Amino acid sequence: FPVAKYGIPKKPLLYKQYVAMLDIDNYKQTHDPMLLMVMRFALEDINLRDVQKEDILWVYEARIGLDYQAISLLKGHLSAEDAMRLVRTYGDETVFGILPAATGTNKPYMTFLDEQANAAKWPIHVRQTAFKLLYAADEANYRKPYHDFLMANVNTAKNWMDRSSLYTELVGMKDEESQKAVREALVHDPVTECRESILYHLKEQGEVALAIDAIVVIANGKDEKHASVSPSRSFDQWSHNLVEYLGWAKSRKLDVATSTKVNEATAKIKERMARHEMED
C-alpha cells in the first residue's frame, strides 16, 4: 500500500511544537479534559534529550495532574538546588526518583539528604534513596549509618519490593552481619521474588561461598515456605533459577568444599524437579 504519498509516516514534531501544546494557563481557566489529554500526549511524546528544564518545571509546578509525566522528563535535568526546592515546597516523594548525585563538597545538599534519610515521615524506599546518594558521595562517613538503616528495616519492611532493594544493598556491603542477613533471607523470606533478587545480585557480585550454605538448606527442603506474588510464573521457576545460579557457580574458581556443596545441591534440586514432573 503506497502510504508514502499520504505523508505516512509523519515527521516527528519539533520540541517547540510540543511545548506549544502545554497551554497551562488556558487549562486553569477552562479545565477542559481534552486539553489535558493533549498536554499529556505532548509530555509522553517529547524526546528526553530535547527537554528544557524550565518548560517542564512549569508544568510540574502548575499542579494540574501532570506531575508524574513531568517528573519522568526532569530526570537528569535537575540541579541539587532544584531538587531541594521541589521536595521542600511540595513534599512529593516521586521527586526522590530523579534526585541528582551528591558530592561531598556540596554541603547544603548533603545536609538536605541527611535530613531526608532520617525523616520518619518518608517510606523506606524514599529514605533509602537518600542514604544511597549519601553513601555514594561519602562512603567513609555514611557506611555505618546506611548499614544500620538496612539492618533495621530488612526484617520489618512489609513491602516485598522494599525488602528486595534492602537485600541488594546488603549483598554489596560484604561485612559478616550483612552476609548473615542475606543468607537468612534466602531461607526465610516469604516472597519468592525476594529470594530470586538475592540470587541475581549474588551472581552479579560474583558471590558463591556467601550463599552456598543457605542454598544447601533449600536443596534439602529445610527452608521456610514461600510464595510468588507474580501470577504468571511457570511451575518450578524458583528451582530453575536455583539450578541456573548453581550452574554459573560451577564455572567459578571454587575450593573443594564449596564445589562439593554446589554439586550436591544441584543434584538434589534437579532430582526434586524431576520428581515433580513425574507426579504431574
Side-chain angles (χ1 to χ4, degrees):
F1 188 79
V3 294
K5 73 176 184 179
Y6 298 109
I8 300 174
K10 300 289 185 181
K11 291 182 179 179
L13 297 178
L14 299 175
Y15 175 74
K16 64 181 181 181
Q17 292 173 305
Y18 284 116
V19 171
M21 296 182 195
L22 303 175
D23 196 348
I24 302 294
D25 292 336
N26 191 6
Y27 178 76
K28 284 184 174 181
Q29 292 177 8
T30 65
H31 297 284
D32 182 348
M34 186 60 70
L35 178 55
L36 186 68
M37 187 181 298
V38 168
M39 290 192 289
R40 182 169 285 119
F41 159 77
L43 291 171
E44 290 175 352
D45 220 42
I46 286 176
N47 191 318
L48 186 60
R49 292 172 296 182
D50 296 332
V51 165
Q52 298 296 310
K53 178 177 67 177
E54 291 74 17
D55 297 326
I56 309 303
L57 276 174
W58 177 50
V59 176
Y60 176 80
E61 298 192 77
R63 315 305 283 173
I64 59 171
L66 297 174
D67 310 349
Y68 178 77
Q69 287 88 350
I71 281 292
S72 65
L73 288 171
L74 286 168
K75 186 173 184 178
H77 295 283
L78 288 187
S79 66
E81 290 69 26
D82 292 326
M84 290 188 286
R85 181 178 63 80
L86 293 182
V87 170
R88 287 171 173 160
T89 302
Y90 303 106
D92 180 2
E93 67 180 64
T94 64
V95 177
F96 283 81
I98 62 167
L99 291 181
T103 62
T105 57
N106 190 337
K107 299 302 181 184
Y109 189 43
M110 294 288 285
T111 300
F112 163 81
L113 290 172
D114 191 281
E115 291 170 355
Q116 309 314 310
N118 290 286
K121 68 177 181 178
W122 294 123
I124 289 172
H125 70 275
V126 170
R127 296 178 62 197
Q128 186 182 4
T129 297
F131 263 123
K132 286 176 72 172
L133 291 171
L134 290 165
Y135 181 61
D138 187 356
E139 181 176 344
N141 285 316
Y142 281 98
R143 180 180 179 85
K144 186 179 186 308
Y146 188 27
H147 178 268
D148 291 347
F149 169 81
L150 295 171
M151 293 301 300
N153 289 283
V154 73
N155 291 321
T156 58
K158 295 180 180 180
N159 186 305
W160 73 268
M161 289 185 288
D162 285 343
R163 291 201 309 280
S164 178
S165 182
L166 296 168
Y167 293 143
T168 296
E169 294 300 300
L170 286 171
V171 169
M173 282 282 179
K174 306 294 185 182
D175 62 281
E176 180 52 39
E177 188 179 19
S178 298
Q179 292 178 346
K180 181 181 177 183
V182 169
R183 288 192 293 271
E184 290 181 349
L186 278 171
V187 174
H188 299 294
D189 196 280
V191 175
T192 308
E193 283 86 347
C194 278
R195 300 187 184 202
E196 290 173 336
S197 176
I198 292 171
L199 279 186
Y200 174 84
H201 288 97
L202 286 168
K203 184 176 178 181
E204 193 175 54
Q205 296 277 336
E207 290 284 358
V208 179
L210 185 163
I212 190 57
D213 287 341
I215 293 176
V216 168
V217 171
I218 296 168
N220 288 321
K222 298 299 178 65
D223 59 320
E224 290 187 17
K225 290 184 178 180
H226 55 100
S228 170
V229 296
S230 304
S232 60
R233 290 168 58 89
S234 61
F235 179 72
D236 255 359
Q237 186 172 328
W238 165 237
S239 295
H240 283 289
N241 286 331
L242 282 169
V243 169
E244 181 180 339
Y245 171 81
L246 290 167
W248 164 82
K250 287 181 182 180
S251 69
R252 309 288 292 175
K253 187 175 182 180
L254 306 174
D255 59 54
V256 174
T258 301
S259 180
T260 299
K261 291 177 182 178
V262 167
N263 289 332
E264 291 178 351
T266 302
K268 288 181 179 180
I269 294 170
K270 285 185 174 181
E271 180 183 345
R272 188 167 64 213
M273 292 170 67
R275 189 163 58 249
H276 286 169
E277 288 181 3
M278 290 180 64
E279 290 173 355
D280 289 345

